[in-house]
Coordinates of all heavy atoms in Angstrom, one line a residue:
R78 N -6.1 68.7 2.3 CA -6.5 69.9 1.5 C -5.3 70.4 0.8 O -4.2 70.3 1.2 CB -7.1 70.9 2.4 CG -6.1 71.7 3.2 CD -6.8 72.7 4.1 NE -5.8 73.3 5.0 CZ -5.2 74.5 4.7 NH1 -5.4 75.1 3.6 NH2 -4.3 74.9 5.6
P79 N -5.6 71.0 -0.4 CA -4.5 71.5 -1.2 C -3.9 72.7 -0.6 O -4.5 73.5 0.1 CB -5.1 71.8 -2.6 CG -6.5 71.9 -2.3 CD -6.8 71.1 -1.1
G80 N -2.6 72.9 -0.8 CA -1.9 74.1 -0.2 C -2.3 75.4 -0.9 O -2.9 75.4 -2.0
M81 N -2.1 76.5 -0.2 CA -2.5 77.7 -0.8 C -1.5 78.3 -1.8 O -1.8 79.1 -2.6 CB -2.6 78.8 0.4 CG -3.6 78.3 1.4 SD -5.3 77.9 0.7 CE -5.9 79.6 0.5
R82 N -0.3 77.8 -1.8 CA 0.8 78.3 -2.7 C 0.9 77.4 -3.9 O 1.9 76.7 -4.1 CB 2.1 78.4 -1.9 CG 2.1 79.4 -0.9 CD 3.5 79.4 -0.2 NE 3.5 78.2 0.7 CZ 4.6 77.6 1.1 NH1 5.8 78.0 0.7 NH2 4.6 76.6 1.9
A83 N -0.1 77.4 -4.8 CA 0.0 76.6 -6.0 C 0.8 77.4 -7.0 O 0.8 78.6 -7.1 CB -1.4 76.4 -6.5
P84 N 1.5 76.7 -7.9 CA 2.3 77.4 -8.9 C 1.4 78.0 -9.9 O 0.4 77.4 -10.3 CB 3.1 76.2 -9.5 CG 2.4 75.0 -9.2 CD 1.7 75.3 -7.9
K85 N 1.7 79.2 -10.4 CA 0.9 79.9 -11.4 C 1.3 79.4 -12.7 O 2.4 79.1 -13.1 CB 1.2 81.4 -11.3 CG 0.9 81.9 -9.9 CD 0.3 83.2 -10.0 CE -0.1 83.7 -8.6 NZ -1.0 84.7 -8.5
A86 N 0.3 79.3 -13.6 CA 0.5 78.8 -14.9 C 1.0 80.0 -15.8 O 0.5 81.1 -15.7 CB -0.9 78.3 -15.5
K87 N 2.0 79.7 -16.5 CA 2.6 80.7 -17.4 C 2.2 80.3 -18.8 O 2.4 79.2 -19.3 CB 4.1 80.7 -17.3 CG 4.6 81.2 -16.0 CD 6.1 81.3 -16.0 CE 6.6 81.8 -14.6 NZ 8.0 81.9 -14.5
A88 N 1.6 81.2 -19.5 CA 1.2 81.0 -20.9 C 2.4 81.0 -21.8 O 3.3 81.9 -21.7 CB 0.2 82.0 -21.4
P89 N 2.6 80.0 -22.7 CA 3.7 80.0 -23.6 C 3.6 81.2 -24.6 O 2.5 81.6 -25.0 CB 3.6 78.7 -24.3 CG 2.3 78.2 -24.1 CD 1.7 78.9 -22.9
R90 N 4.7 81.7 -25.0 CA 4.7 82.8 -26.0 C 4.3 82.2 -27.3 O 4.7 81.1 -27.7 CB 6.1 83.4 -26.0 CG 6.5 84.1 -24.7 CD 7.9 84.7 -24.8 NE 8.2 85.2 -23.5 CZ 9.5 85.4 -23.2 NH1 10.4 85.2 -24.0 NH2 9.7 85.9 -22.0
A91 N 3.6 83.1 -28.1 CA 3.1 82.6 -29.3 C 4.2 82.4 -30.3 O 4.1 81.5 -31.2 CB 2.1 83.7 -29.9
G92 N 5.2 83.2 -30.3 CA 6.3 83.0 -31.3 C 7.3 82.0 -31.0 O 8.1 81.6 -31.8
K93 N 7.3 81.4 -29.8 CA 8.3 80.5 -29.3 C 7.7 79.1 -29.3 O 6.7 78.8 -28.6 CB 8.7 80.9 -27.9 CG 10.0 80.2 -27.5 CD 10.3 80.8 -26.1 CE 11.8 80.6 -25.9 NZ 12.2 81.1 -24.6
P94 N 8.2 78.1 -30.0 CA 7.6 76.8 -30.0 C 7.9 76.1 -28.7 O 9.0 76.3 -28.1 CB 8.3 76.0 -31.2 CG 9.6 76.8 -31.4 CD 9.3 78.2 -31.0
T95 N 7.0 75.3 -28.2 CA 7.2 74.5 -27.0 C 7.7 73.1 -27.3 O 7.5 72.6 -28.4 CB 5.9 74.4 -26.2 OG1 4.9 73.8 -27.0 CG2 5.4 75.7 -25.8
T96 N 8.4 72.5 -26.4 CA 9.0 71.2 -26.7 C 8.3 70.1 -26.0 O 8.8 69.0 -26.0 CB 10.5 71.2 -26.2 OG1 10.5 71.5 -24.8 CG2 11.3 72.2 -27.0
G97 N 7.2 70.3 -25.4 CA 6.5 69.2 -24.7 C 5.7 69.6 -23.5 O 5.6 68.9 -22.5
G98 N 5.2 70.8 -23.4 CA 4.4 71.2 -22.3 C 5.1 72.1 -21.3 O 5.7 73.1 -21.7
A99 N 5.2 71.6 -20.1 CA 5.8 72.4 -19.0 C 7.4 72.5 -19.2 O 8.0 71.6 -19.7 CB 5.6 71.7 -17.7
P100 N 7.9 73.6 -18.8 CA 9.4 73.8 -18.9 C 10.1 72.8 -17.9 O 9.6 72.5 -16.8 CB 9.6 75.2 -18.5 CG 8.4 75.6 -17.7 CD 7.3 74.8 -18.3
R101 N 11.2 72.3 -18.3 CA 11.9 71.4 -17.5 C 12.8 72.1 -16.5 O 13.3 73.1 -16.8 CB 12.9 70.5 -18.4 CG 12.1 69.7 -19.4 CD 11.4 68.6 -18.7 NE 10.8 67.7 -19.7 CZ 10.1 66.7 -19.3 NH1 10.0 66.3 -18.1 NH2 9.5 66.0 -20.3
P102 N 12.9 71.6 -15.3 CA 13.7 72.2 -14.3 C 15.2 72.1 -14.6 O 15.6 71.2 -15.4 CB 13.4 71.5 -13.0 CG 12.9 70.2 -13.4 CD 12.2 70.4 -14.8
S103 N 16.0 72.9 -14.0 CA 17.5 72.8 -14.2 C 18.0 71.5 -13.5 O 17.3 70.9 -12.7 CB 18.2 74.0 -13.6 OG 18.0 74.0 -12.2
Q104 N 19.2 71.2 -13.8 CA 19.8 70.0 -13.2 C 20.2 70.1 -11.8 O 20.7 69.2 -11.2 CB 21.1 69.6 -14.0 CG 20.8 69.2 -15.5 CD 20.0 67.9 -15.6 OE1 20.0 67.1 -14.7 NE2 19.2 67.8 -16.6
G105 N 19.9 71.3 -11.2 CA 20.3 71.5 -9.8 C 19.4 70.8 -8.8 O 19.6 70.9 -7.6
G106 N 18.4 70.0 -9.2 CA 17.6 69.3 -8.3 C 16.4 70.1 -7.8 O 15.9 69.8 -6.8
N107 N 16.0 71.1 -8.5 CA 15.0 72.0 -8.0 C 13.6 71.4 -8.4 O 12.6 71.9 -7.9 CB 15.1 73.4 -8.7 CG 16.3 74.1 -8.2 OD1 16.8 73.8 -7.1 ND2 16.9 75.0 -9.0
G108 N 13.5 70.5 -9.3 CA 12.2 70.0 -9.8 C 11.6 69.0 -8.8 O 12.2 68.5 -7.9
S109 N 10.4 68.6 -9.1 CA 9.7 67.6 -8.4 C 10.3 66.2 -8.7 O 11.0 66.0 -9.7 CB 8.2 67.6 -8.6 OG 7.9 67.1 -9.9
F110 N 9.9 65.2 -8.0 CA 10.4 63.8 -8.2 C 10.0 63.4 -9.6 O 10.8 62.8 -10.4 CB 9.8 62.9 -7.2 CG 10.1 61.4 -7.4 CD1 11.4 61.0 -7.2 CD2 9.2 60.6 -7.9 CE1 11.7 59.6 -7.4 CE2 9.5 59.3 -8.1 CZ 10.8 58.8 -7.9

């Protein structure tokens, strides 16, 4: 079963262009595999 702590979706700001969908994590190793 899926976990209860799912990440919340953040809507991109209208004035700010996106570079490819989801924001990239920092180089500190905080992102998923």
Side-chain angles (χ1 to χ4, degrees):
R78 75 181 174 95
M81 302 305 282
R82 292 180 284 156
K85 302 221 178 196
K87 293 182 181 178
R90 295 179 186 162
K93 196 178 203 181
T95 58
T96 58
R101 298 289 182 178
S103 65
Q104 294 295 333
N107 295 334
S109 70
F110 174 76

